[in-house]
Amino acid sequence: MSRTFSAPHLVNPDTRSRVLSTAESLGYRPNRAARALITGRTHNIGLIVADIANPFFPPLIKAAESQARQRDYHLFVADTNEDPIMEEQLVQALAKQVDGVLLCSPRMSNDLIEKLRREVPLVVVNRAVDGLPAVVMDVANGAKAAIEHLVGLGHHDLALLGGPRGSWTNREIRRSAMAAAKLAGANLTVLGPHQPTEAAGAAACDAVRATGATAVLAYNDLMAIGLLEALHDRGVDVPGELSVVGIDDIMLSRLIRPKLTTVSTPTAAAGRAAVDMLLQHDDERRTNALVTLQTELIVRDSTGPNPH
Amino acid sequence: MSRTFSAPHLVNPDTRSRVLSTAESLGYRPNRAARALITGRTHNIGLIVADIANPFFPPLIKAAESQARQRDYHLFVADTNEDPIMEEQLVQALAKQVDGVLLCSPRMSNDLIEKLRREVPLVVVNRAVDGLPAVVMDVANGAKAAIEHLVGLGHHDLALLGGPRGSWTNREIRRSAMAAAKLAGANLTVLGPHQPTEAAGAAACDAVRATGATAVLAYNDLMAIGLLEALHDRGVDVPGELSVVGIDDIMLSRLIRPKLTTVSTPTAAAGRAAVDMLLQHDDERRTNALVTLQTELIVRDSTGPNPH
DNA sequence: ATGAAAGCGCTAACAG
DNA sequence: CTGTTAGCGCTTTCAT
């Protein structure tokens, strides 16, 4: 009898235990897909990220999965390869199989997000979208702290190694870094857009040096690390000749030499928060809920005083 | 009419296109859960790993997801936190929702795997189980090559930094390393079991030094890197005083200094192969199919001649 | 080549 | 409190 599983409280304890033991001996397990058909709740969540192998995402995925399963949900994970078109396809493909989708660091337009939210409940991570539940990191404040840190070290000529087109985070960083530089009376040259990868960071090395900057803020740690590698190959001393700051504080950043100064973003907390927002009942959910997670500048060894 | 989607070839092209355009205008998408109920095929795959945030797994997950979706399958990802009990629970929880489960680096017993395979088709990665489709890396050969490399550098006193209990890979490495050391007339001290983490590698530093070994092979790169960090903190020069070899060739390993000498394992290929094995029709599937992927020793900067 | 009907495993609603 | 019934969206079988 299905009530034993779906509404245990209004069934006779005797009957219940009898059913339970029979079920046990038969190895019976309720079929969630069949249940979903009638209840409309699948107890599945979709998680869409730009690149599973980008070290930024695994801690987020892990935290989301853990939080989801604690609430008896399973997690679909899908990878868009940084392709906005793939994002749309994936949301639609998963829509019928999940109770909601976590869209992490989307590259698609806000208009498209608006369209997709009508097909399936959406929570967006790393993007603020009007009227949509979202989890963002306060990267603006982080970028500001990074610029102030560099200016405090005597740097006047700064460069920003920009991230991918379509990234809300990238826009926030640029806006905030430009404002902070202006306020401090420093020059800031903006480079980009670039893919958020180590290879792109390395490839941008010469462009960075051509700006004449003595300090660089990168869109993320991966690009900063790529830049560091290329700088090392060219015999440029960090932080002696050039200071480098990243954003994210991925595991790598404290393991490389010099240890990377970076803005730490709470990725695991973001994963948990996103799951919580998706799963909290609609009546509690304010449609414009926006959770902003704090960031923190971690000063390590890749930044130093202006050599000039 | 459902035939339009499930058996397009035996429907009148006119009718078909008419149905299709109507469906399109209604935004209709077939419900896979309902389809699964009757066909018995969910078009979903479960992927169970010990730790999503362990850098070894993301490339495997990414490759598996990509391969699965190319074949119109979605991927559930779950994390066991290195807990064998969680492995069992997860397989059972996913069993009804998937057409098969990819069990990566399982820590559970072979007996339990035998039991679970009766509930859901299983493909095992990083473990050879009799009569079960499996994808393994030839770590035995990799460990042998590592030992020979170290002996070739003049090292006679070696240590093996062992991995987790229950790991087939760990047993393979130990067996092969011991055989290779014996053959070369070198001493090999085996340490462990340890968690396969950077922290555990660092924590084992003093134990490693106490063995008097001049060269160490670690269960994986993460442990080797932890060891390197601890060695650095203690002012021990690598490879001047101690040589270190890892296994896996995770992205980190070529980014740290000294760059880690390691045995590269084809993790992406393993993810793809596992999906392929699961999805190939049962009639083609030999029950004892075992795919063995080759490994390769990558000599970088963490190994050098015996100082004595 | 197409329409109609049965039924996958489950829950909801309704009787008892 | 418990047995029965209808039907979720789809595919399959059986008619036509």
Side-chain angles (χ1 to χ4, degrees):
Chain A
M1 176 60 41
S2 110
R3 255 176 299 239
T4 305
F5 294 94
S6 44
H9 52 281
L10 43 78
V11 81
N12 188 312
D14 283 5
T15 320
R16 182 173 138 77
S17 63
R18 197 159 41 86
V19 172
L20 241 35
S21 71
T22 314
E24 173 65 35
S25 72
L26 261 50
Y28 169 84
R29 316 202 135 252
N31 182 326
R32 301 178 89 148
R35 175 182 294 187
L37 207 51
I38 185 129
T39 61
R41 329 226 71 232
T42 61
H43 268 248
N44 292 149
I45 296 178
L47 176 65
I48 297 180
V49 300
D51 179 6
I52 296 170
N54 178 331
F56 173 80
F57 288 111
L60 190 155
I61 300 172
K62 186 182 172 86
E65 197 273 336
S66 164
Q67 190 80 353
R69 206 167 62 256
Q70 205 167 315
R71 305 182 170 229
D72 198 27
Y73 275 72
H74 292 313
L75 194 70
F76 282 108
V77 175
D79 183 306
T80 68
N81 267 310
E82 297 274 348
D83 177 357
I85 295 173
M86 196 61 80
E87 285 180 351
E88 178 184 6
Q89 292 179 0
L90 274 169
V91 172
Q92 291 182 330
L94 287 174
K96 286 296 200 317
Q97 259 179 113
V98 300
D99 296 339
V101 170
L102 270 33
L103 210 48
C104 299
S105 309
R107 308 288 184 235
M108 67 174 83
S109 69
N110 277 359
D111 286 351
L112 192 46
I113 292 180
E114 284 296 333
K115 178 190 152 203
L116 291 174
R117 70 178 295 192
R118 290 196 291 268
E119 302 192 23
V120 59
L122 244 39
V123 171
V124 182
V125 178
N126 278 342
R127 181 156 188 159
V129 182
D130 239 27
L132 207 62
V135 179
V136 299
M137 329 269 201
D138 191 359
V139 283
N141 205 44
K144 177 163 168 276
I147 297 293
E148 287 168 355
H149 166 64
L150 293 172
V151 171
L153 286 167
H155 296 279
H156 304 297
D157 297 297
L158 313 173
L160 175 63
L161 193 49
R165 168 169 280 126
S167 159
W168 177 89
T169 297
N170 189 49
R171 291 193 294 274
E172 283 288 296
I173 292 169
R174 187 176 51 207
R175 182 179 60 69
S176 174
M178 288 176 74
K182 186 169 184 184
L183 201 67
N187 302 316
L188 179 73
T189 309
V190 178
L191 267 27
H194 297 289
Q195 284 293 86
T197 60
E198 187 211 342
C205 182
D206 293 326
V208 167
R209 300 192 66 202
T211 67
T214 58
V216 191
L217 172 62
Y219 166 76
N220 68 4
D221 284 358
L222 224 39
M223 295 185 71
I225 289 167
L227 178 61
L228 248 30
E229 286 287 299
L231 254 10
H232 178 87
D233 291 347
R234 286 162 177 72
V236 178
D237 184 55
V238 175
E241 298 176 59
L242 189 63
S243 287
V244 177
V245 182
I247 295 180
D248 284 348
D249 194 23
I250 60 178
M251 189 215 261
L252 257 164
S253 302
R254 66 178 165 76
L255 259 18
I256 56 163
R257 294 301 133 95
K259 294 183 181 174
L260 186 67
T261 293
T262 186
V263 175
S264 103
T265 54
T267 49
R272 282 190 296 272
V275 168
D276 285 346
M277 287 185 94
L278 188 63
L279 262 32
Q280 75 191 196
H281 296 304
D282 299 54
D283 43 54
E284 306 172 36
R285 181 160 67 198
R286 294 165 195 73
T287 52
N288 58 351
L290 174 70
V291 171
T292 303
L293 269 18
Q294 293 313 306
T295 61
E296 187 189 359
L297 179 69
I298 314 273
V299 177
R300 296 206 183 94
D301 310 329
S302 65
T303 48
N306 184 350
H308 300 335
Chain B
M1 175 60 44
S2 108
R3 256 177 297 239
T4 304
F5 295 94
S6 44
H9 52 282
L10 42 78
V11 80
N12 188 312
D14 283 3
T15 321
R16 183 172 138 76
S17 64
R18 197 159 42 87
V19 171
L20 241 35
S21 72
T22 315
E24 173 64 35
S25 72
L26 260 52
Y28 169 84
R29 316 203 134 252
N31 181 326
R32 302 179 89 149
R35 175 182 293 186
L37 206 52
I38 186 128
T39 61
R41 328 226 72 231
T42 61
H43 268 246
N44 292 148
I45 296 179
L47 176 66
I48 297 179
V49 300
D51 178 7
I52 296 171
N54 177 331
F56 173 80
F57 288 111
L60 190 155
I61 300 172
K62 185 182 171 88
E65 197 272 337
S66 164
Q67 190 80 350
R69 205 168 61 254
Q70 204 166 317
R71 305 182 168 229
D72 199 26
Y73 275 72
H74 292 313
L75 194 70
F76 282 111
V77 174
D79 183 308
T80 69
N81 266 310
E82 296 275 347
D83 177 358
I85 296 174
M86 196 61 80
E87 285 180 349
E88 178 184 7
Q89 291 180 0
L90 274 170
V91 172
Q92 291 181 330
L94 288 174
K96 286 295 202 318
Q97 261 181 110
V98 300
D99 296 339
V101 170
L102 269 34
L103 210 50
C104 299
S105 310
R107 309 289 184 236
M108 67 173 82
S109 69
N110 278 358
D111 286 351
L112 191 47
I113 292 180
E114 285 295 334
K115 179 190 150 203
L116 291 173
R117 69 178 295 193
R118 289 196 292 268
E119 302 192 24
V120 58
L122 244 39
V123 171
V124 182
V125 178
N126 278 343
R127 182 154 188 160
V129 182
D130 240 25
L132 207 62
V135 178
V136 298
M137 328 270 202
D138 191 0
V139 283
N141 205 44
K144 177 162 168 277
I147 297 292
E148 287 169 353
H149 165 65
L150 294 172
V151 171
L153 286 166
H155 297 278
H156 305 297
D157 297 298
L158 312 174
L160 175 65
L161 192 49
R165 167 169 282 127
S167 159
W168 176 88
T169 297
N170 189 50
R171 291 194 294 275
E172 284 289 296
I173 292 169
R174 187 175 52 206
R175 182 178 60 68
S176 174
M178 289 177 74
K182 187 169 184 182
L183 201 68
N187 301 317
L188 179 74
T189 309
V190 178
L191 268 25
H194 296 290
Q195 284 293 87
T197 61
E198 186 212 343
C205 182
D206 294 326
V208 168
R209 299 192 69 200
T211 67
T214 59
V216 191
L217 172 62
Y219 166 76
N220 67 7
D221 284 358
L222 223 41
M223 296 185 71
I225 289 166
L227 178 62
L228 249 29
E229 286 287 298
L231 254 11
H232 178 86
D233 290 346
R234 286 163 178 70
V236 179
D237 184 57
V238 175
E241 298 175 58
L242 188 64
S243 286
V244 177
V245 182
I247 296 179
D248 284 347
D249 193 23
I250 60 179
M251 190 217 262
L252 257 165
S253 302
R254 67 181 163 75
L255 260 16
I256 57 163
R257 296 299 134 94
K259 293 182 182 176
L260 187 67
T261 294
T262 187
V263 175
S264 101
T265 54
T267 49
R272 281 189 296 271
V275 168
D276 285 346
M277 287 185 94
L278 189 64
L279 261 33
Q280 75 192 197
H281 296 303
D282 299 54
D283 43 52
E284 306 173 35
R285 181 161 65 198
R286 295 162 194 74
T287 52
N288 57 353
L290 175 69
V291 170
T292 303
L293 270 16
Q294 294 314 304
T295 61
E296 186 189 0
L297 179 69
I298 314 274
V299 178
R300 297 205 183 96
D301 309 329
S302 66
T303 49
N306 185 348
H308 300 336

